[in-house]
């Protein structure tokens, strides 16, 4: 219960629920909502190095049949893209206008080693697969204008689970998790589970060209990226003698960055080229009504 997934008889099990106005905007395209529901669950499987095996879907329906049909098209597209069979689930009917609550349970086949959040050790280096801040920047644009489009909005609408990279990292990682609520908040959870602290180099955080063009690369932009949420990057702690960029077979084009290290104690600290950086008041994304 202190992780994003459970391991049972060689299977990795995870469940995520998303609610309208909390986890996605009421104006988001329904197909993208369906894609996102599948992708966020697959991201949990990726963090455990699991191979997708099947899913159960929970859908609330009302009189807006076109919305439901488009949502299911998005679910089907994501399931087909990542080889995730939809095995069944449940539907319930809601009154017209009631907020939708949608859930999916994803099942994966476990590999020989399933890293938890709690195995990290001081001295392990922290590696990040993916970039940070794009989805939060896209959400900020959509809150201003729901008709906005572009690469940042695309990342918010259709996150990409890092399944292949997760399978490559899992046999060597002491601790892993996906970054869904913001790097600093999720790292603090990994540290708490592992009983250690961490030091993070803000200057090392991987930013996309689209993010840098929209928000810049200064300290404020990097803190935004580190706390924004909805990244679905992978965070892995690896022994210092392992360089995954050299020793592991990762998918071509994988963005892999060392962003710091685990440290003795229980303190999460930040620094950049100018020196120590105070922790922000909020370490990550707080789900609240849109």
């Amino acid at each position: 219960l202190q992780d994003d997934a459970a391991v049972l008889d060689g299977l990795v099990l995870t469940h995520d629920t998303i609610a309208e106005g909390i986890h996605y905007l009421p104006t988001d395209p329904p197909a993208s909502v369906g894609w996102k529901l599948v992708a966020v669950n697959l991201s949990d499987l990726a963090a455990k190095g699991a191979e997708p095996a099947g899913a159960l879907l929970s859908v609330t329906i009302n009189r807006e049949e076109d919305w439901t049909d488009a949502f299911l098209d998005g679910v089907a597209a994501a399931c087909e893209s990542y080889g995730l069979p939809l095995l069944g689930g449940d539907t319930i009917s809601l009154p017209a206008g009631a907020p939708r609550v949608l859930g999916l349970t994803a099942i994966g086949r476990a590999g020989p080693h399933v890293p938890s959040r709690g195995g990290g050790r001081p001295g392990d280096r922290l590696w990040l697969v993916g970039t940070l801040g794009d989805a939060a920047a896209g959400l900020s644009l959509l809150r201003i204008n729901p008709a906005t489009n572009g690469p940042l909005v695309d990342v918010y609408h259709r996150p990409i689970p890092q399944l292949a990279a997760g399978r490559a990292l899992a046999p060597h990682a002491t601790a892993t998790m996906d970054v869904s609520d913001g790097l600093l908040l999720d790292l603090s959870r990994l540290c708490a589970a592992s009983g250690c602290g961490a030091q993070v180099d803000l200057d090392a955080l991987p930013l996309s060209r689209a993010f840098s063009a929209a928000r810049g690369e200064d300290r404020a932009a990097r803190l935004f990226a580190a706390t924004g949420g909805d990244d679905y990057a992978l965070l892995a702690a690896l022994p210092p003698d392992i360089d995954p960029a050299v020793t592991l077979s990762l998918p071509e084009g994988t963005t892999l960055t060392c962003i710091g290290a685990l440290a003795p104690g229980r303190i999460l600290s930040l620094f950049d080229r100018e020196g120590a950086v105070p922790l922000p008041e909020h370490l990550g994304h707080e789900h609240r009504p849109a």
Side-chain angles (χ1 to χ4, degrees), residues 4 7 11 41 47-48 53 64 71 85 115 117 136 143 149 170 174 179 181 196 203 206 214 220 240 251 272:
D4 286 330
V7 182
L11 297 175
N41 279 277
K48 304 306 172 191
E64 298 178 42
F71 164 80
R117 293 181 183 181
R143 289 186 184 278
N149 55 31
T174 59
V179 178
D181 293 332
C196 58
D203 288 332
D272 61 14

Side-chain angles (χ1 to χ4, degrees), residues 7-244:
V7 182
L8 177 67
D9 294 336
L11 297 175
V12 177
L13 311 173
T14 185
H15 180 90
D16 268 307
T17 300
I18 60 176
E20 180 180 355
I22 304 294
H23 302 93
Y24 68 92
L25 299 174
T27 52
D28 284 347
S32 75
V33 177
W35 175 284
K36 192 169 191 174
L37 178 60
V38 175
V40 300
N41 279 277
L42 288 175
S43 185
D44 287 336
L45 295 187
K48 304 306 172 191
E51 183 79 28
L56 301 171
L57 176 67
S58 173
V59 183
T60 53
I61 58 177
N62 55 28
R63 296 175 185 174
E64 298 178 42
E65 295 180 1
D66 290 346
W67 194 100
T68 301
D69 289 344
F71 164 80
L72 292 174
D73 286 343
V75 169
C79 287
E80 182 177 355
S81 295
Y82 298 105
L84 181 72
L86 185 59
L87 305 177
D90 192 23
T91 61
I92 62 170
S93 180
L94 291 179
R100 295 178 176 86
V101 179
L102 309 155
L104 189 123
T105 298
I107 305 164
R109 296 181 183 88
H113 173 59
V114 181
S116 71
R117 293 181 183 181
R121 300 182 295 265
D124 287 348
R125 293 200 291 174
L126 292 168
W127 293 86
L128 193 75
V129 177
T131 58
L132 299 174
D134 292 35
L139 176 59
S140 295
L141 294 173
L142 288 170
R143 289 186 184 278
I144 297 170
N145 178 6
T148 301
N149 55 31
L152 298 176
V153 172
D154 291 343
V155 172
Y156 165 74
H157 278 153
R158 295 200 173 226
I160 303 298
Q162 304 283 350
L163 286 161
R167 289 193 294 271
L169 287 167
H172 309 277
T174 59
T176 60
M177 65 184 300
D178 75 330
V179 178
S180 56
D181 293 332
L183 171 66
L184 299 186
L185 181 55
D186 286 327
L187 175 56
S188 72
R189 293 165 175 163
L190 187 149
C191 289
S194 295
C196 58
Q199 297 175 335
V200 174
D201 181 0
L202 276 184
D203 288 332
L205 299 188
L207 307 177
S208 72
R209 292 181 179 179
F211 179 90
S212 297
R215 310 284 305 207
E217 297 184 1
D218 61 7
R219 180 182 287 186
R222 290 179 178 277
L223 285 172
F224 176 89
T227 57
D230 260 3
D231 299 296
Y232 301 104
L234 292 185
L235 177 65
L238 296 174
D241 60 341
I242 295 178
D243 183 345

